[in-house]
Amino acid sequence: MTTDTPARLLTLLSLLQTPREWPGGELADRLGVSRRTVRRDIDRLRELGYPVQATMGADGGYRLVAGKAMPPLVLDDEEAVAIAVGLRAGAGHAVEGLDEASVRALAKLEQVLPSRLRHRVATLQSATMPLTSGDGPSIAPETLTVMASTVAGHERLRFAYRAADGSESRRVTEPYRLVSTGRRWYLVAYDLDRDDWRTFRVDRVSEPFATGARFAPRELPAGDAVEYLRHSMQRRNDSYEIEVVFHAPVEAVAPLLPHWMGTPEAVDGGKSCVVRATVSGSVEWIAVRLATTGLEFRVREPAELVDCVRDLGARLARATGPN
């Protein structure tokens, strides 16, 4: 019998988070209490914000339903390990859809995991390999979680950084946001030594360390971190202004494109759409990314991408020809 009320409430909540309806008698048996105590505990959970729905009948049942807000979840050991392993596997790459919120969730979860579960997560991670991965370079999940925690806590971050030319430096920053472009993660931060805003490719970061020193967030020059990163890429040599016309309506094209390509604009009475964006990386990769949509398209700009798509098409055609 569970006599400690907080412990009993946590056990009850864990049971209710299983997607099924629980008869009052079964809950009473599981908890070792009376049905009246179960009803009182259900009322306590409702007061805490958990939307527990009761059904009428000889043996009235209870189930947890969707509410207006999400109260805290209670996870058992197996569930916590499964979620942490899944988040770590995805966080190592700039996977489309895995944005800053997902990395924040991983940082919060690993912060509260008991040491025994952290060891299980690390063991599982090291013993498995994904069949497929993201298009971008691999990143240690610990690097992302340290960065995410300093962003959320307004805590200065120190790390080693390797620039595109291979030069290495030590940076002390006030981290602002983590941004995923679909291939890579970037950190937007204020560089204290250079007294200016900077963007850092996270796959070039090593030895990230949260200093513990708090700071008051500065005002970003651009509207938000995504806009600032876009402007920063425009100033670099490895970025391109692309313009691509898809011979399909917006609703067919938009779900197939990464968010960093922006939102397609309808043309030709809605029968086609055009995509205009500033992108970074090799034109070969951009050409392949466009081709994987499986839709008919025509590249207008830049000339380098036009030539690359033409060459790629010719190579693929030759690959299917006679030996």
Side-chain angles (χ1 to χ4, degrees):
M1 176 178 178
T2 306
T3 56
D4 180 37
T5 300
R8 190 177 65 244
L9 285 176
L10 288 175
T11 302
L12 174 59
L13 181 57
S14 181
L15 292 172
L16 290 173
Q17 286 178 343
T18 301
R20 54 163 288 194
E21 184 169 300
W22 289 87
E26 186 175 349
L27 288 175
D29 292 340
R30 289 287 194 106
L31 299 172
V33 297
S34 66
R35 296 189 184 188
R36 182 178 180 183
T37 299
V38 170
R39 288 195 294 271
R40 286 202 302 265
D41 287 348
I42 292 293
D43 289 338
R44 291 190 181 99
L45 289 179
R46 288 169 176 162
E47 291 172 1
L48 293 171
Y50 293 94
V52 182
Q53 184 182 76
T55 57
M56 305 298 292
D59 193 15
Y62 302 94
R63 67 186 309 150
L64 202 60
V65 298
K68 295 182 179 179
M70 187 184 73
L73 297 175
V74 175
L75 303 173
D76 62 27
D77 286 3
E78 307 304 323
E79 293 166 341
V81 169
I83 291 174
V85 169
L87 286 173
R88 283 170 63 96
H93 299 273
V95 180
E96 292 171 27
L98 184 66
D99 56 12
E100 183 189 349
S102 300
V103 178
R104 288 202 312 270
L106 176 59
K108 290 178 181 178
L109 181 59
E110 294 204 337
Q111 184 178 9
V112 299
L113 279 180
S115 58
R116 71 180 191 282
L117 296 187
R118 266 194 240 106
H119 176 71
R120 286 179 59 186
V121 170
T123 301
L124 280 171
Q125 188 77 20
S126 63
T128 59
M129 292 183 64
L131 178 62
T132 59
S133 63
D135 292 327
S138 179
I139 301 170
E142 294 81 0
T143 298
L144 284 172
T145 55
V146 169
M147 289 183 165
S149 63
T150 57
V151 168
H154 305 308
E155 185 177 351
R156 287 181 178 174
L157 176 70
R158 185 171 68 236
F159 54 86
Y161 191 69
R162 176 179 49 82
D165 60 4
S167 61
E168 298 186 355
S169 59
R170 307 289 301 187
R171 305 297 183 99
V172 179
T173 65
E174 294 178 352
Y176 185 79
R177 287 290 187 276
L178 280 166
V179 181
S180 169
T181 65
R183 288 188 70 220
R184 298 189 177 103
W185 283 101
Y186 289 85
L187 173 70
V188 177
Y190 191 85
D191 191 320
L192 293 174
D193 292 329
R194 289 151 183 78
D195 196 25
D196 199 4
W197 289 94
R198 292 288 190 272
T199 59
F200 302 95
R201 272 180 47 175
V202 177
D203 59 292
R204 294 175 178 168
V205 169
S206 60
E207 304 173 47
F209 178 75
T211 65
R214 306 286 177 175
F215 64 90
R218 303 170 188 262
E219 184 176 353
L220 195 66
D224 57 27
V226 173
E227 188 65 22
Y228 181 82
L229 179 62
R230 184 176 293 116
H231 289 164
S232 178
M233 286 181 171
Q234 288 176 351
R235 297 193 298 267
R236 298 176 182 173
N237 294 329
D238 61 347
S239 64
Y240 303 88
E241 295 285 343
I242 68 169
E243 182 173 329
V244 181
V245 176
F246 282 90
H247 303 300
V250 169
E251 55 270 22
V253 176
L256 301 176
L257 295 180
H259 63 84
W260 46 268
M261 279 193 179
T263 303
E265 300 175 18
V267 295
D268 191 24
K271 297 179 182 178
S272 302
C273 62
V274 60
V275 173
R276 299 182 180 91
T278 301
V279 298
S280 64
S282 68
V283 290
E284 290 82 5
W285 178 83
I286 298 170
V288 171
R289 188 63 184 83
L290 291 170
T292 57
T293 62
L295 300 174
E296 295 290 328
F297 67 90
R298 178 175 294 276
V299 178
R300 289 178 175 172
E301 298 289 346
E304 299 95 325
L305 183 57
V306 173
D307 293 340
C308 184
V309 169
R310 182 184 298 113
D311 292 343
L312 176 62
R315 277 203 309 274
L316 292 176
R318 289 193 298 271
T320 60
N323 293 333

